[in-house]
Amino acid sequence: MTGWHTITVASSKGGVGKTTTSALLGLTLAEHRGDRVVTLDANPDAGNLAQRLLGYRAPATVRQLLEQENLDQLASFTEVSRFVNTAGRLQVLASDLDPAMSEAFNAEEYRRVLALLTRFFNIVITDSGTGLIHSAMTGALETTRSLIVTGKPTIDAAEGITTTLDWLIAHGFDELVRDAIVVLTCDRQAHSIDPAALREHFADRCRAVVEFPADPHLTEGGRIDLEMLRPRTRQAGRELAALVAEAFTWDFPAPDGFTTGGR
């Protein structure tokens, strides 16, 4: 891949695996590819992506980056690296743990940060917050090349996926929905739901469906270590990464203010 690719992990419902999916995808892509990969926590409610990847509170945050007067003129990776945190080969741009500060991360600020990141990173994965209408999420969707919608095989979470897809189509993101990947985190499952029928239902609406099996390491809620995952979970992570990578050669128009990026 030359240029850059943006991936947004989204859902209208909380607690359905957005952060876990973002972390696993980022770690897997960073492990298997030579590209520079960064995960961005765009949760307006003090997200915990950095804690899941680092195991501790991140010393640098996106708010500190945005406070730089010369943000748009940062010219080297060394300058940018002062604001990102390292989890193996994966880079992490953490959200501020103060919810009042995180709320100020709006659509325009998101675009500024993303325009900067795409100058220095090939792959940018955005872990969005709960819901779809907060300002930063608007900026993310407008600049997304690959969309991942997360949920669980439970009645409420499956309805949440449907609500998310319907909302996106109603707001003009129908192309993103057609090319989207649905990730089902199967740590809980409703007995009244037929898993095969659920997969088929979402496969008819989107490009693919990936299932993450129940895994004790993920259930702990601590720092994610690929080596601690069960083989089936690691395989699901590789499957998701491969599906995302299929889109790296697609032709995408560059959003206003961004360079095209060698498509």
Side-chain angles (χ1 to χ4, degrees), residues 14-237:
V16 291
K18 286 191 298 294
T19 297
T20 298
T21 298
S22 301
L24 287 176
L25 177 62
L27 290 168
T28 303
L29 286 170
E31 179 185 45
H32 291 284
R33 296 185 61 91
D35 309 289
R36 283 179 176 169
V37 186
V38 63
T39 54
L40 166 61
D41 194 337
N43 193 328
D45 302 310
N48 68 337
L49 176 65
Q51 288 93 316
R52 297 301 307 277
L53 286 168
L54 304 173
Y56 53 86
R57 181 170 179 164
T61 69
V62 68
R63 177 52 50 194
Q64 294 169 1
L65 177 62
L66 284 165
E67 288 173 351
Q68 302 305 299
E69 294 182 1
N70 64 335
L71 173 63
D72 301 322
Q73 282 77 46
L74 294 180
S76 71
F77 182 75
T78 300
E79 292 177 293
V80 176
S81 66
R82 293 189 294 119
F83 303 98
V84 296
N85 309 273
T86 302
R89 295 188 63 248
L90 177 65
Q91 305 294 311
V92 187
L93 186 51
S95 69
D96 199 299
L97 290 181
D98 179 355
M101 294 295 292
S102 297
E103 187 64 43
F105 190 37
N106 58 37
E108 179 56 34
E109 290 175 325
Y110 177 86
R111 288 178 65 90
R112 289 184 66 201
V113 169
L114 188 64
L116 175 69
L117 293 179
T118 55
R119 286 164 48 201
F120 298 100
F121 294 90
N122 304 97
I123 301 171
V124 182
I125 302 168
T126 297
D127 178 17
S128 66
T130 300
L132 298 167
I133 60 175
H134 62 79
S135 185
M137 187 60 188
T138 302
L141 289 171
E142 291 173 348
T143 53
T144 295
R145 291 182 167 178
S146 289
L147 175 68
I148 297 173
V149 179
T150 62
K152 296 176 183 284
T154 61
I155 295 173
D156 59 339
E159 289 177 350
I161 298 175
T162 299
T163 299
T164 301
L165 299 178
D166 290 345
W167 187 95
L168 290 166
I169 291 173
H171 288 78
F173 297 106
D174 48 303
E175 186 174 350
L176 272 182
V177 169
R178 286 195 302 271
D179 295 333
I181 302 167
V182 170
V183 172
L184 297 173
T185 303
C186 301
D187 54 351
R188 292 186 293 117
Q189 183 168 323
H191 295 298
S192 58
I193 289 182
D194 180 353
L198 187 66
R199 288 193 302 269
E200 183 178 353
H201 170 71
F202 290 123
D204 287 341
R205 300 196 62 180
C206 302
R207 180 160 67 96
V209 178
V210 175
E211 293 182 347
F212 281 111
D215 193 300
H217 179 58
L218 297 179
T219 304
E220 290 178 354
R223 185 181 72 87
I224 297 174
D225 181 351
L226 292 182
E227 296 297 327
M228 297 294 292
L229 297 173
R230 288 177 170 176
R232 286 182 57 214
T233 311
R234 293 202 67 177
Q235 178 60 27

